[in-house]
Amino acid sequence: RTEVIVDEGINTVSYRLDETLIEFGMSIDSKDYERAVSLLEQLEYSPETEAMWQTLSALALAHNKLFIAERCAAALGDTAKAMYLRKVNEAAEEAVRSNLVTHGHEHFVVQARMATLDKQFERAEQVLLEQGKVEEAMEMYQELHRWDEAIAIAESRNRPETEELKESYLQWLLMTGQEEKAAKLKEKEGDVEAAINLYLEGGLPARAAV
């Protein structure tokens, strides 16, 4: 421990600073994120260390240190994010093993998945489409339940599965109790009768009468 004496006017107060915390700050400043992880793992979990893990996580993501980011997510108890980053890291490792890129984060699959994680969906779509990965872009939106975007890609590329995709979207809307949105979808397609029935099922007789 390091003792710091602070003069507060009338009283001189002695503060003890944990050397581990000081070293953590130094590790962050020098971008030695592996060392930062090692130091945090020595500390008991507390609101203070939680904030430090969050800081390290943000920095790791910003500098494409994806294994560090995965470790931070696990430490913070964000299992879903940790599992997602595990899959991203596996894709990055495979790309390097296959000599597709020098650094894993440079591969388009990794870039698309990281853009998705950051909720930059249009960016992820752009990355995939630039590589001709139309199906992957559509699947990304389906996994996110962003069916409108998936259908828009299918229509713009004249994909043969466009109608099947629309039907899947309709069924998903009905399964999740979104009759009004399903009705609007059928209305847009010109199927007025089906739209009216769906409005009635959704308890919206006024919309059905319009």
Side-chain angles (χ1 to χ4, degrees):
R1 290 179 177 274
T2 300
E3 188 174 49
V4 179
I5 306 300
V6 179
D7 187 354
E8 294 188 347
I10 299 174
N11 301 314
T12 299
V13 184
S14 174
Y15 293 96
R16 290 192 175 276
L17 304 180
D18 193 312
E19 288 181 358
T20 304
L21 302 184
I22 295 173
E23 286 187 52
F24 174 79
M26 293 171 65
S27 298
I28 291 296
D29 290 341
S30 62
K31 295 183 174 60
D32 187 352
Y33 301 135
E34 288 81 3
R35 174 62 175 159
V37 168
S38 177
L39 290 165
L40 283 181
E41 287 175 339
Q42 299 174 30
L43 302 175
E44 291 184 8
Y45 197 79
S46 67
E48 289 76 17
T49 54
E50 179 182 0
M52 294 160 75
W53 278 113
Q54 289 173 341
T55 296
L56 181 56
S57 174
L59 290 168
L61 288 171
H63 292 90
N64 296 309
K65 302 295 184 181
L66 304 185
F67 282 104
I68 300 294
E70 179 188 333
R71 178 65 188 90
C72 291
L76 289 164
D78 193 339
T79 305
K81 187 174 183 179
M83 291 177 65
Y84 184 90
L85 286 168
R86 171 66 58 83
K87 291 180 180 178
V88 173
N89 280 318
E90 288 173 354
E93 287 184 314
E94 178 59 31
V96 172
R97 276 197 301 270
S98 302
N99 294 317
L100 298 175
V101 292
T102 304
H103 304 289
H105 69 266
E106 297 171 346
H107 194 258
F108 75 89
V109 169
V110 175
Q111 291 181 356
R113 290 182 181 176
M114 292 309 295
T116 301
L117 180 64
D118 199 32
K119 294 183 170 56
Q120 297 182 32
F121 305 124
E122 290 184 4
R123 168 61 181 158
E125 175 189 336
Q126 179 186 2
V127 168
L128 291 170
L129 293 181
E130 283 177 352
Q131 297 294 324
K133 303 298 182 180
V134 179
E135 286 187 16
E136 287 81 351
M138 290 163 56
E139 287 171 4
M140 173 194 73
Y141 280 128
Q142 289 177 70
E143 289 173 3
L144 295 165
H145 301 303
R146 298 174 70 96
W147 293 84
D148 288 332
E149 288 92 334
I151 291 169
I153 292 174
E155 288 180 333
S156 69
R157 304 281 170 144
N158 295 315
R159 299 289 295 189
E161 64 268 40
T162 301
E163 292 306 315
E164 181 183 343
L165 197 58
K166 287 181 179 179
E167 184 60 30
S168 297
Y169 180 29
L170 179 64
Q171 293 305 316
W172 179 76
L173 288 172
L174 295 175
M175 285 173 57
T176 53
Q178 300 184 67
E179 284 83 3
E180 182 179 5
K181 199 163 186 179
K184 288 179 180 177
L185 183 64
K186 298 307 289 185
E187 198 172 6
K188 184 180 178 182
E189 293 176 357
D191 192 341
V192 179
E193 184 177 349
I196 289 172
N197 290 332
L198 287 167
Y199 279 129
L200 292 173
E201 286 179 24
L204 297 160
R207 290 300 304 271
V210 175

